[in-house]
Amino acid sequence: TPTPLLPGNRRDERHRRPALPGRATPPAAARRGRAERPRPSLSGPALPHPERFRVDHQTEQLQAGGITVDKIFYEELSLDMLKYYRGFIFFRCPVTDTVHDFIKLAKKYNKTCFYDVDDLVIDTKYTDKIKYVKNMSAAEKSLYDDGVNRMQKTLLLCDYAITTTDRLKVELEKYTKEVFINRNVASDEMVKTSEAVLRKKNNELLN
């Protein structure tokens, strides 16, 4: 199965697959008529830190397990993409008309949807306790709450949830039938960098 095009992975444009930013080009394997394999589509916010751990690192984990993965920003999602994937992971994704219709159709076609979230921005009963949120103006709070409520709607639409800790799992089980834990981990690049630093320090001590 061809390697998915991810940000920074420049390949022949003819083989380009949905990435971030996304394109609605069918995966090469699907175009050639191969049997469909699981291809979760991770759709996340434009925030670098959570995206790194919950999207990029999970993408790496899935690829290490032999699963082909593409990343699509949720605003670039299209119903046409349902044809090319067997599962979908929505990371901190607020509901839109397209997201709503997409998940409904995914269920109709017996394709599984997961909601991934690493905090409790899925209900105002949690976010109302945050000091920063308490200090918002009325207009800011209204906009923020709308985003929180829209994320809850996506969570409720999905089949399962994925989160990072036991405590978050307990809370999320109030909203969905089953919650899986996949903790934040270091990427291969982070591990290699750490090992290189340790080797350098060890060499300095020996010298």
Side-chain angles (χ1 to χ4, degrees):
T1 302
T3 302
L5 179 73
L6 299 176
N9 180 13
R10 295 185 180 277
R11 298 177 57 194
D12 190 316
E13 192 68 17
R14 290 171 299 174
H15 300 297
R16 187 166 186 175
R17 306 183 60 191
L20 181 62
R23 292 179 57 141
T25 306
R31 290 200 301 268
R32 290 198 291 269
R34 292 185 184 177
E36 185 183 43
R37 293 183 59 194
R39 296 184 180 89
S41 171
L42 293 93
S43 179
L47 300 172
H49 184 72
E51 182 190 345
R52 181 188 310 125
F53 284 95
R54 301 311 298 167
V55 179
D56 293 341
H57 291 189
Q58 285 197 88
T59 294
E60 193 173 88
Q61 285 180 316
L62 290 164
Q63 288 172 334
I67 298 174
T68 305
V69 186
D70 291 332
K71 298 193 303 180
I72 301 104
F73 189 58
Y74 78 96
E75 290 182 341
E76 295 164 351
L77 193 66
S78 72
L79 299 183
D80 184 61
M81 293 175 184
L82 276 165
K83 294 185 289 185
Y84 309 114
Y85 303 87
R86 286 175 56 188
F88 304 91
I89 303 173
F90 294 86
F91 170 57
R92 293 182 65 161
C93 178
V95 77
T96 63
D97 289 342
T98 300
V99 168
H100 175 275
D101 294 345
F102 189 96
I103 296 174
K104 287 290 188 181
L105 280 173
K107 291 183 175 183
K108 179 180 178 181
Y109 299 145
N110 199 30
K111 300 190 178 190
T112 307
C113 293
F114 299 85
Y115 193 82
D116 187 290
V117 64
D118 54 354
D119 55 28
L120 292 173
V121 287
I122 44 83
D123 198 316
T124 55
K125 74 178 183 182
Y126 301 114
T127 56
D128 282 346
K129 299 174 183 178
I130 301 171
K131 183 178 179 181
Y132 178 79
V133 175
K134 290 179 180 178
N135 292 332
M136 287 180 174
S137 67
E140 290 172 334
K141 179 71 162 50
S142 176
L143 183 63
Y144 182 86
D145 287 351
D146 177 66
V148 171
N149 291 329
R150 287 170 61 206
M151 283 192 274
Q152 182 187 123
K153 288 179 180 178
T154 308
L155 167 63
L156 294 173
L157 283 167
C158 289
D159 301 292
Y160 306 101
I162 305 171
T163 193
T164 53
T165 68
D166 295 316
R167 182 58 184 163
L168 285 171
K169 179 179 184 292
V170 170
E171 294 301 318
L172 289 170
E173 284 173 339
K174 299 172 184 177
Y175 300 86
T176 188
K177 62 183 178 182
E178 191 167 3
V179 181
F180 301 96
I181 294 178
N182 188 21
R183 302 185 191 280
N184 287 335
V185 295
S187 66
D188 287 344
E189 182 181 357
M190 292 169 70
V191 171
K192 289 177 182 177
T193 301
S194 299
E195 290 175 343
V197 171
L198 287 173
R199 283 195 299 270
K200 182 179 179 182
K201 286 187 175 181
N202 289 335
N203 289 334
E204 290 173 352
L205 290 172
L206 290 173
N207 297 328

